[in-house]
Amino acid sequence: MASFASKTFSAASYLAARPRYPASLYNYVIDYCRKHCVDGRLENALDVGCGPGANTAPLLESFEKVCGVDPSPGMIEQAKKQVTDAARLSFYQGTEQDFADSISPESIDLITVAQAIHWFDAPKFYDNVYRALKPNGTVAFWGYLDPVFVDHPKVSDLHMECLYGENALGPYWEPGRKLLREKLVFADPPTDRFTDIERVENMSLQPDMSSPIELHRQCAFSDYISLMKTASSYHNWKQVNPNSPDVVDTFAQQAKQLENWSDNTQITIKWLTVLVLATKN
């Protein structure tokens, strides 16, 4: 996660390009949380590894107060720009290893982690979660894996070569990427502290609207190329290869030639997704 804390990383570009999570995901998490909480009242939510706050603000629809925490000053600065009600939405700098130091013990109904837990020290994270959650509080984390180009398997193959090839972005990923690709099983909640553990996966290569965690986007091909350039691996690659032909632009040109696409060609990108929920004992 060091790339995201770099002064040269653009939190604004990251926020603009990243996919937005569907309402069905939030509904599923909130229903789980409400079912398990003691009195049915949802007061406080905390979003750990919040980045620029894209996942944090939607929680205001269900909670009285929401807070986001992230180690990157740039991400926190970007997140604070969306605050219109400081009494209900706030952000502060911190990590998965110390966020509970800044809040009252057993004060949080829901702790979320969106596309970030693969960067965490899981045991230390759960130590903090256990301190911060109310009895019967909920922890929920989710992530999206490598996307596919729906109905264009050859482009998907080129895409994977760009992401993980030895002569492309492969050597520039930080270690957490492997944990994400393994569907985040390393972070499954410890069973001596949490119960009613649920794992929801959506590994379909086609959009599946029956899944609460369906994540796909129809967009111009150039918009997806912009998203690729927000990846930590691309940022790292650029730092090492400032004068080389752009590796993502090379993939884009290959895909255009293969499918006779232009920058404006409308495509459907589908992410493989996973969601894990648990209740504090």
Side-chain angles (χ1 to χ4, degrees), residues 163-186:
L163 291 181
Y164 299 111
E166 285 298 313
N167 296 319
L169 297 179
Y172 297 93
W173 290 103
E174 295 175 43
R177 186 68 181 189
K178 181 175 183 290
L179 301 176
L180 177 63
R181 298 187 75 199
E182 293 170 347
K183 300 189 286 189
L184 303 175
V185 294
F186 86 102

Side-chain angles (χ1 to χ4, degrees), residues 223-235:
D223 290 340
Y224 181 71
I225 296 304
S226 296
L227 187 153
M228 287 184 70
K229 292 182 178 182
T230 68
S232 61
S233 60
Y234 178 77
H235 177 82

Side-chain angles (χ1 to χ4, degrees), residues 179-231:
L179 301 176
L180 177 63
R181 298 187 75 199
E182 293 170 347
K183 300 189 286 189
L184 303 175
V185 294
F186 86 102
D188 281 349
T191 55
D192 61 330
R193 292 172 134 183
F194 297 89
T195 188
D196 290 343
I197 298 171
E198 286 190 24
R199 170 173 282 269
V200 183
E201 297 181 359
N202 180 349
M203 298 292 129
S204 171
L205 300 183
Q206 293 286 330
D208 177 9
M209 300 312 296
S210 68
S211 170
I213 56 172
E214 171 60 31
L215 186 61
H216 68 271
R217 174 192 285 180
Q218 292 178 317
C219 64
F221 181 58
S222 60
D223 290 340
Y224 181 71
I225 296 304
S226 296
L227 187 153
M228 287 184 70
K229 292 182 178 182
T230 68

Side-chain angles (χ1 to χ4, degrees), residues 126 232 248 250 257:
Y126 282 116
S232 61
V248 172
T250 298
Q257 292 175 351

